Amino acid sequence: MMKSKYFNSRIAILSLVLVAFFTSCEGDLDVTPQDDQNTLATDLFEDEAAYKQVLASVYGNLSLTGTDGAGSSNIQGLDAGTSQYGRTLLYMQTLAADQMIWSYENDPGTREIQRNIWTTQNPVFVGFWGRAHVSVAFANNLLRETTDAKLDARNVSAGTRSEIVQFRAEARLLRALSYYHLMDLFGKANFVTEDTPLNSIPEVADRAELFSFIETEIAAIESDLANPRQNEYGRADKAVAWMILAKMYLNAEVYIGQDKYTEAISACNQIIGGGYSLATDYAHNFMADNDANSATNEIIFPLISDGFYTQNFGPATVMVNGSVGSIEVNGTEVGVQAGGWGGALRVRKQFADLFAGSLYVDDTRNTIISAGRPIDIIDISDRDSGYIIQKYSNATSTGGFGIDQTFVDIDFPLFRLADVHLMYAESVLRGGTGGDINTALGYIRDLRTRANNTNTLNVGDITLGFILDERSRELHWEAHRRQDLIRYGLFTGGNYNWAWKGNGSNGIAIPQNFNIYPIPAASLSSNPNLTQNPGY
């Protein structure tokens, strides 16, 4: 289904769903949803179509921050710009590492993140912590309202009840997704399910507990999810569940101190066997019509963005407008205003160096623009220094542009097949069974061929160091880099320094406790069961 049809109905009902959320979930979190509606939660379900609409609100929280336009927020105390799910995820996974620089350091939280000098007060951390927990609360609300007892009391028809089985599975999967991100970023979370008494003080789950919960949840719901590529556009299926598992297993030594590379390979094999294929053109994954071009064969789960129905200041809008160069004024090429956001985003030298040399001149993943620019960023506020990039574009594969010149139509590819290829290869190299190096080589060659890179790779070229670099070349600005560097033992400490790491222009070591972000101070005060992470 085209995103415009699906999300048109989703936006229309989101304000109603906020009422149900407000009445049933207020005690779950340390943030309070705003509500200016008079509809009661019980009235919402008089129409059986409401169940799908409530499910839509769970998805909606991944893209939207409110119901009154891109600048609105449905959570009291959270700003739309620093609480959008994908944008805060991008900042915490990409801006904190060696790929991206944000020029306007007066924007809340950005200076501390990109210089690795954050504190417990950082508003981006507050934003993601709150937004992810709201996703959990939305999912819990749907699950509470779809128990057998409540469906019986409402005389819900057999046909709707059969659909609700899948709705519940998807809600549990989206809840697992948020817990996965909280586990990765913060190492713990307020742990609330549909069975938690309302208005109670949440228990706290650490990494091991969250890891186990997510595994158990996915095993329980897998059979109720749609088969890969068989659900409506924008909705999750079994492949999304397998993707979460693959990411968890690849990073299991970080999360729980256990080797799970064999399990990672198994999950990758399931996804690869699900009918996905690489987009014919690398750029298709990041264009305004990536819901309709060849990227639909590759993208496993998108965060929706639409220039009319789902306007938001999410990652795709930020990266297209922000990547327009201060010198180049190249916005019209990528479907936004000519000047964009005046050079808000540039790349760090260490990332640019990954595309240096003749091997990458014609590589289509190399969208770096360097002419007339020094590679080094000595002064972050100098938007004319440092290379820029043109990966994301509000143009379409057929020669048109998105509907709006600020809010882009690009769906952010949270999960895509190329990542699976690289996870498979890394897991084989790390000793996992159930895969082999020749198959891994073939998967990487497929990525290189798609990128028009004619460099011939052999088995001996496929090392862990090569995989780390190739992940950056293939997956840059897709919210993976911090996690990758941590897994390789290169994020903290001084074994690998990049420009402005640790607030040094050439990079300096940062403490090991920075592998996990601090719990926001305000959240600590609202839940006595929650403790701060070590070192903060």
Side-chain angles (χ1 to χ4, degrees):
M1 178 178 289
M2 294 294 289
K3 61 187 172 188
S4 58
K5 295 179 182 178
Y6 180 55
F7 283 96
N8 184 32
S9 62
R10 185 165 84 182
I11 300 310
I13 53 78
L14 188 56
S15 59
L16 297 180
V17 177
L18 290 177
V19 182
F21 171 56
F22 182 78
T23 57
S24 63
C25 301
E26 185 178 6
D28 290 356
L29 309 167
D30 51 74
V31 290
T32 304
Q34 294 177 337
D35 169 45
D36 58 0
Q37 307 294 325
N38 296 316
T39 308
L40 298 176
T42 53
D43 296 335
L44 181 65
F45 298 101
E46 289 183 359
D47 181 357
E48 291 189 10
Y51 292 99
K52 187 174 184 179
Q53 295 171 345
V54 174
L55 175 66
S57 74
V58 188
Y59 284 97
N61 190 61
L62 299 176
S63 296
L64 303 175
T65 54
T67 59
D68 296 323
S72 66
S73 177
N74 58 14
I75 309 174
Q76 183 178 343
L78 292 189
D79 175 76
T82 54
S83 70
Q84 203 273 352
Y85 198 105
R87 179 174 178 173
T88 49
L89 182 67
L90 179 77
Y91 282 175
M92 296 174 76
Q93 296 284 24
T94 301
L95 190 62
D98 61 351
Q99 296 177 341
M100 176 186 286
I101 280 285
W102 182 258
S103 304
Y104 303 117
E105 291 197 297
N106 59 332
D107 279 9
T110 55
R111 181 179 189 276
E112 292 79 14
I113 291 175
Q114 67 183 8
R115 294 175 185 252
N116 313 106
I117 53 172
W118 52 74
T119 70
T120 64
Q121 308 290 336
N122 191 286
V124 174
F125 302 165
V126 176
F128 188 85
W129 178 270
R131 185 62 60 186
H133 280 94
V134 167
S135 277
V136 170
F138 269 126
N140 286 340
N141 181 69
L142 182 144
L143 296 169
R144 290 184 181 117
E145 295 296 335
T146 53
T147 62
D148 287 339
K150 288 193 175 182
L151 297 179
D152 288 342
R154 296 174 186 145
N155 294 315
V156 174
S157 67
T160 299
R161 291 178 80 134
S162 66
E163 289 185 303
I164 285 173
V165 172
Q166 184 173 323
F167 295 169
R168 288 177 60 87
E170 289 178 43
R172 291 170 72 178
L173 181 59
L174 295 179
R175 180 175 64 185
L177 175 68
S178 289
Y179 276 140
Y180 156 69
H181 283 137
L182 288 164
M183 173 183 67
D184 178 76
L185 296 167
F186 296 99
K188 63 181 69 172
N190 291 330
F191 187 72
V192 182
T193 72
E194 70 275 21
D195 297 323
T196 303
L198 295 178
N199 299 315
S200 62
I201 296 174
E203 297 299 321
V204 174
D206 62 19
R207 271 184 164 168
E209 291 166 326
L210 290 169
F211 194 102
S212 178
F213 172 78
I214 295 166
E215 273 192 308
T216 302
E217 275 287 274
I218 289 176
I221 64 177
E222 183 176 332
S223 62
D224 292 330
L225 293 167
N227 288 327
R229 298 174 50 79
Q230 299 304 307
N231 211 344
E232 290 180 289
Y233 180 80
R235 288 174 59 185
D237 55 28
K238 290 176 182 176
V240 177
W242 300 332
M243 192 74 180
I244 295 171
L245 290 177
K247 302 293 280 186
M248 286 200 337
Y249 292 142
L250 183 68
N251 294 282
E253 287 190 302
V254 174
Y255 298 152
I256 59 173
Q258 295 180 30
D259 175 335
K260 295 278 186 179
Y261 300 113
T262 294
E263 290 86 343
I265 291 171
S266 177
C268 289
N269 282 332
Q270 287 180 293
I271 299 166
I272 292 167
Y276 295 92
S277 60
L278 296 178
T280 56
D281 187 327
Y282 178 76
H284 285 183
N285 289 298
F286 317 104
M287 300 187 80
D289 61 343
N290 64 351
D291 67 319
N293 64 31
S294 69
T296 60
N297 298 316
E298 179 169 354
I299 296 175
I300 296 166
F301 189 55
L303 302 185
I304 301 300
S305 182
D306 182 280
F308 183 77
Y309 293 111
T310 58
Q311 290 187 355
N312 63 79
F313 288 104
T317 288
V318 168
M319 287 186 286
V320 175
N321 287 277
S323 295
V324 174
S326 57
I327 300 171
E328 296 77 6
V329 193
N330 55 315
T332 54
E333 297 176 27
V334 292
V336 295
Q337 296 290 334
W341 290 352
L345 286 170
R346 288 158 290 146
V347 302
R348 306 195 200 212
K349 178 182 185 297
Q350 287 70 26
F351 171 72
D353 284 343
L354 291 177
F355 285 107
S358 60
L359 293 179
Y360 300 100
V361 170
D362 297 320
D363 193 308
T364 58
R365 301 170 301 180
N366 180 7
T367 61
I368 290 173
I369 298 173
S370 59
R373 289 176 165 272
I375 192 172
D376 291 303
I377 301 173
I378 305 301
D379 177 358
I380 290 178
S381 66
D382 177 11
R383 294 164 291 141
D384 296 345
S385 65
Y387 296 168
I388 63 170
I389 197 170
Q390 199 164 285
K391 175 170 179 169
Y392 290 84
S393 173
N394 199 31
T396 68
S397 61
T398 56
F401 293 100
I403 194 170
D404 191 271
Q405 288 189 295
T406 296
F407 300 105
V408 302
D409 283 356
I410 310 161
D411 296 339
F412 181 69
L414 187 67
F415 296 142
R416 62 185 180 95
L417 182 64
D419 190 7
V420 182
H421 282 199
L422 291 163
M423 288 194 294
Y424 177 100
E426 182 179 336
S427 297
V428 167
L429 288 172
R430 291 187 183 274
T433 60
D436 64 87
I437 191 62
N438 287 310
T439 301
L441 175 62
Y443 288 153
I444 294 171
R445 282 177 171 171
D446 289 344
L447 298 180
R448 286 295 186 98
T449 299
R450 193 259 300 271
N452 194 39
N453 189 312
T454 58
N455 180 39
T456 300
L457 294 174
N458 299 306
V459 166
D461 299 316
I462 309 304
T463 65
L464 284 175
F466 169 85
I467 293 295
L468 180 63
D469 289 347
E470 194 69 3
R471 285 186 64 82
S472 193
R473 284 186 282 261
E474 176 70 32
L475 302 169
H476 56 277
W477 291 30
E478 295 180 53
H480 299 291
R481 188 59 171 173
R482 164 196 162 273
Q483 185 185 79
D484 290 344
L485 290 176
I486 290 172
R487 186 172 65 255
Y488 275 75
L490 296 174
F491 185 69
T492 56
N495 289 333
Y496 171 48
N497 292 329
W498 56 85
W500 294 104
K501 176 183 177 181
N503 204 23
S505 60
N506 293 317
I508 60 175
I510 58 176
Q512 187 175 3
N513 66 290
F514 273 40
N515 280 329
I516 298 179
Y517 287 111
I519 307 301
S523 301
L524 289 173
S525 62
S526 65
N527 183 359
N529 294 323
L530 193 59
T531 57
Q532 186 55 270
N533 285 324
Y536 289 107

